[in-house]
Amino acid sequence: MCGIVGYIGGREAVPILIEGLKNLEYRGYDSAGIAVADSDKVFMVKRSGKLKNLEAAINESGISGSLGIGHTRWATHGAPTEANAHPHFGKTREFFVVHNGIIENHQQLKESLKREKCRFNSETDTEVIVHLLEKFYTGDLKQAVCRTVKKLKGSFALGVISSRHPDLLLAARRDSPLIIGLGKGENYIASDVPAILSQTRSVIYLENDEIAVLGRDNAEVFTVNGDCCNRRPVTVKMDPDSASKGGYSHFMIKEINEQPEVMRRILSARIKNNRVRFEELKLNEKRLKNIDNIQIVACGTAYHAGLCGKYVLEKLLKIPVNVDTSSEFRYREQIIKKNKTLVITVSQSGETADTLAALRASQQKGALILSVVNVVGSSIARESDGVVYIYAGPEIAVASTKAYTAQLMTIYLLALYLGEVFGTVSERIRREMLRMLARTPLKMKEVLANNGRIKRVARDYVKRYNIRLAEQFKFLEDEVAQFKDSRKALEFAEQWARRSHLTYGRRFGDFPFLYLGRNVNFPSALEGALKLKEITYISAEGYAAGEMKHGPIALIDEFPLVICINPRSSLYDKMLSNIQEIKARRGTVLSIATKGDREIRKKAYSDYIIEIPPVNEFVSPLIVALPLQLLAYYIAAGIGCDIDQPRNLAKSVTVE
Ligand code: G6P
């Protein structure tokens, strides 16, 4: 949450900061700001709303300089107003700070600073940092940062500049990610690699409680006690084009379409001579053989991938596998058997605060930690005993798609690998599974090529939705009529429409969605519902179909759309019974079914059908994910939602 970027060098800082912020917007987008130093003066521009507001204001202001910091915000403390946007400054207006994280003791600090006559300009937790800097500054900026950082509790990644030191860019971190980018005669700081990827590939990952002091030609890292740390840069391998839309209208649809290629990449990297290999996994087989239970922890979409992993791992390894959301797990009594519990954390970003905390809690209790991560070198990857990367490439859209299927595929392969280590998977089963997995890219391609049906279903839904909306308008006719000025009446009607559009799912819950699935496709139902909620704001619930009678069936009449995930499987008939129960109550059913399934075509069973190619039930979640993603996407596009940057969400949740 929140993105930070900073630059010091010989070039104009503003365009570098803006480009960096654009690439970090997925971390937050409710307000943004920059501060740029030109000789001994610092100029600052901040705006609430999307980055384009800031860009317009900067263009008007004409500010320039070759040292600067920038920030894109996801509000935690204080509304997304201009005053609360970063950078923050103190009484002297000589120090400027951008911050990602949460200062947990900000209230106490604020009280004591107020007693010392500090006046606060914002409601943020961040502002205490800049007042502390002013208080501790005695001519040495590094020392002031060190003293400030020692007073802070909680998580932070900081960028600091001062008009007193136009030749210095400082940074510090604890539990929020921060990298240093190294250039020739210039250096950078950033929350994440994509922010500075077009400038440099040479980076240093700052560790907890480290301070970086950057000049144009030098970059030094210190502990908070001021001791020098000898940190070596690493070269990041990432294609800058992979972080662009490449002709698609949204990152989300681009990333959905990338899935066959991602699958191919994973399969070709992992399968050697009909065996699964994870070259980067530095866990020896002896340690793995000791494992007798597995605990998976993750958040959001990654949690759903983990949930599917439970079915896969239990089937292939025959040991108990628990799955928990990280935010629950970290505060529970964790039942870990030293050296016998394998904790698998699943995380696209590798920075999710709750998952990182769950990892650390498990590590303290002696669990072996293996992480399934996308972002190379991320905190979770670095702190785990072993890591397997999912090779999804940069995922920019807030709603996760390709990372989800890449996590699934990696977990299937991991289960086969562990099955070989444990001796629970025979060679025949392994070969058969690998054959099935190898077909995934082609089957995904088939779904993507036949997306016309999904588009039509989405269009139909949006039509029904709009009719309903128009009906709601009728109630407003009298209200609109009372405006004598027709322009005002129109304004009122438009405002109402916009509001109701955005809050439709909540205010007029006539069309909620219910996603049902069984067994390996129960997590698919959860993920389908999550995708829809995230990008359309329509209320949607995922449920195990067998649980329908214990509550959700009360929702059923003709209005909700019930999505039944029912490809051919051992539980196919059970799902058909559920569908009949829905139909008996005038429910509207959309079935995700296997191509050529005649039975489900009978009118009594489904109002809409989306077909997927025949696929073995055990690996079907990999294919089922795509129509669910596409359905959510096309509905969101039809309603006119902000697909890549849905309200209130952020891609990387680095605060708890
Ligand atoms: C946020 C994102 C989701 C993601 C979740 C976990 O909620 O919007 O897409 O699934 O965080 O993130 P992680 O990076 O740990 O997978």
Side-chain angles (χ1 to χ4, degrees), residues 299-302 346-350 352 355 398-400 407 534 650-651 653:
C299 298
T301 289
V346 188
S347 175
Q348 187 284 127
S349 62
T352 301
T355 307
V398 166
S400 181
Q407 284 159 350
E534 283 178 316
K651 180 113 195 109
V653 182

Side-chain angles (χ1 to χ4, degrees), residues 426-443:
S426 67
E427 187 171 343
R428 186 184 63 78
I429 299 281
R430 193 182 68 235
R431 281 176 183 266
E432 207 176 300
M433 281 272 309
L434 289 179
R435 244 196 321 274
M436 288 180 325
L437 291 172
R439 291 190 200 117
T440 309
L442 276 181
K443 289 188 195 278

Side-chain angles (χ1 to χ4, degrees), residues 578-648:
N578 291 134
I579 294 174
Q580 274 173 323
E581 286 157 7
I582 298 161
K583 291 307 299 173
R585 288 159 181 83
R586 294 181 296 129
T588 311
V589 171
L590 186 168
S591 287
I592 310 280
T594 305
K595 194 169 160 189
D597 180 346
R598 292 224 188 98
E599 193 159 8
I600 212 155
R601 289 216 152 269
K602 290 181 193 158
K603 180 72 184 153
Y605 285 140
S606 299
D607 301 84
Y608 304 100
I609 294 178
I610 293 174
E611 290 184 330
I612 59 165
V615 56
N616 173 281
E617 74 173 285
F618 192 52
V619 298
S620 63
L622 282 161
I623 308 302
V624 160
L626 273 64
L628 297 176
Q629 296 165 351
L630 287 167
L631 186 70
Y633 175 80
Y634 289 128
I635 291 176
I639 297 175
C641 296
D642 192 346
I643 294 178
D644 284 338
Q645 295 181 343
R647 69 180 177 200
N648 303 340

